[in-house]
Amino acid sequence: MLAGRYRTLDRLGEGGMGVVWRARDELLHREVAIKEVRLGWNLPEAERAERRERTLREARAAARLSHPSIVAVHDVVAQDGRPWIVMDLVRGRSLDRLIRRDGPLPPPRVAAIGLAVLDALSLAHSRGIMHRDVKPANIMLAEDGGVLLTDFGIATLEGDAPLTSPDALVGSPGYIAPERLHGTDDGPAADLWSLGATLYAAVEGKNPFQRDVPIATLGAVLTQPAPFPSRAGDLAPVLLAMLAKDPRQRPGEATLRTALHRIAQGAPPGPLSPQEPPRIPPRSAPQGGPRNAPPSGRGRTGWVVGAGLAAVAAGVTVAVLSTTGGS
């Protein structure tokens, strides 16, 4: 029993960072999900402290965001020397598991999923929160038809000190935007690039940059164009625009919202103007603005691609702490 109130019932998922439980709130007589974070007693104290702080940041980030597409956080409990996050129980499966079970999804459905996640990200960005780990494993598809963005475990909150060193990149290699690999930008456009890679994986059945080893995947993100998505139909030009290497050449949130809405309704996407105008000649162009956001919840497995790893292209040398899905 946690905090004299929450009784764990069974495991929903498990990864290297911890376990997600189905539990019962004995005070309010409802079922909830509880994320138990394993600090790893064999880890150095500094790393265990970082995991504790990352857990609290996840809870704080999610608690700032009230939206039907974001899993609500109800409580944080400190017990047995580690933190536990109490949140909504979402009945459904991750987009990652659905793709592995059913294969590529129809473009209108993928566009509708993208629209819900875009609204969730827009709300987060308007509150100064960058998710930084948008991928199929972190999108939940609920049995009632809802789409929820989950796992703000590596999110950054405006005003918070960074938890990782400047030469460490946190995320999943095929879903980290090029500018994050270069260390030049960590703004909303990088989350939207990750959303583009996620939607590409949903409609094509695989990540556009996936290679046999993580370092090759990072190199492909930095240097290779995304292959043309042959199954995507009208969604294809939207995906390719979202995956442009230069953030200035990608459509902004408002343009994306219109395009995804049209495709979800069976119409062509319309014009895809970049989020910023070209520098020469100067001219105005539509720019995306913040909006609303969705939730989701699952376990994660972390792994490290060793420090001082040469990232193949552009002289990027990084240590990559990656999060891979597991539920």
Side-chain angles (χ1 to χ4, degrees), residues 242-305:
M242 294 175 76
L243 293 171
K245 304 296 185 192
D246 186 344
R248 296 169 299 177
Q249 298 306 311
R250 299 174 201 152
E253 289 177 354
T255 301
L256 278 179
R257 182 171 292 104
T258 299
L260 292 173
H261 177 76
R262 289 174 59 87
I263 294 169
Q265 299 298 316
L272 295 168
S273 54
Q275 67 171 5
E276 291 183 7
R279 294 189 177 184
I280 301 176
R283 62 186 180 190
S284 60
Q287 194 151 359
R291 210 76 169 188
N292 297 339
S296 119
R298 340 173 15 283
R300 295 188 308 166
T301 304
W303 50 262
V304 176
V305 181

Side-chain angles (χ1 to χ4, degrees), residues 17-19 35-40 51-52 55 58 81-85:
M17 296 288 287
V19 180
K35 182 176 183 179
E36 172 193 358
V37 178
R38 290 174 174 162
L39 299 179
R51 288 195 181 188
R52 274 194 297 269
T55 301
E58 176 180 2
R82 57 190 183 275
W84 308 63
I85 300 178

Side-chain angles (χ1 to χ4, degrees), residues 83-239:
W84 308 63
I85 300 178
V86 182
M87 51 196 169
D88 275 346
L89 176 64
V90 179
R91 301 186 184 278
R93 58 172 51 87
S94 70
L95 177 59
D96 178 61
R97 293 183 67 182
L98 184 65
I99 295 168
R100 285 190 275 121
R101 189 193 72 175
D102 295 347
L105 306 181
R109 185 179 185 191
V110 173
I113 292 170
L115 191 59
V117 177
L118 176 62
D119 279 346
L121 289 172
S122 296
L123 177 61
H125 296 160
S126 74
R127 305 288 171 83
I129 298 169
M130 304 301 130
H131 188 280
R132 300 175 72 228
D133 201 19
V134 179
K135 59 184 179 182
N138 284 340
I139 296 172
M140 288 292 292
L141 306 178
E143 292 176 355
D144 63 5
V147 177
L148 301 104
L149 178 64
T150 186
D151 205 340
F152 284 78
I154 64 170
T156 56
L157 282 71
E158 196 171 62
D160 278 359
L163 285 178
T164 51
S165 62
D167 60 348
L169 288 169
V170 185
S172 302
Y175 297 96
I176 305 175
E179 60 268 31
R180 281 184 175 149
L181 291 176
H182 282 296
T184 56
D185 192 10
D186 197 22
D191 274 349
L192 298 187
W193 187 95
S194 301
L195 176 59
T198 295
L199 300 183
Y200 187 110
V203 79
E204 294 294 305
K206 60 182 179 180
N207 179 280
F209 305 104
Q210 190 62 47
R211 302 294 188 268
D212 290 339
V213 294
I215 194 64
T217 300
L218 294 175
V221 168
L222 286 168
T223 65
Q224 301 298 313
F228 186 84
S230 60
R231 300 174 181 267
D234 286 333
L235 189 57
V238 180
L239 297 178

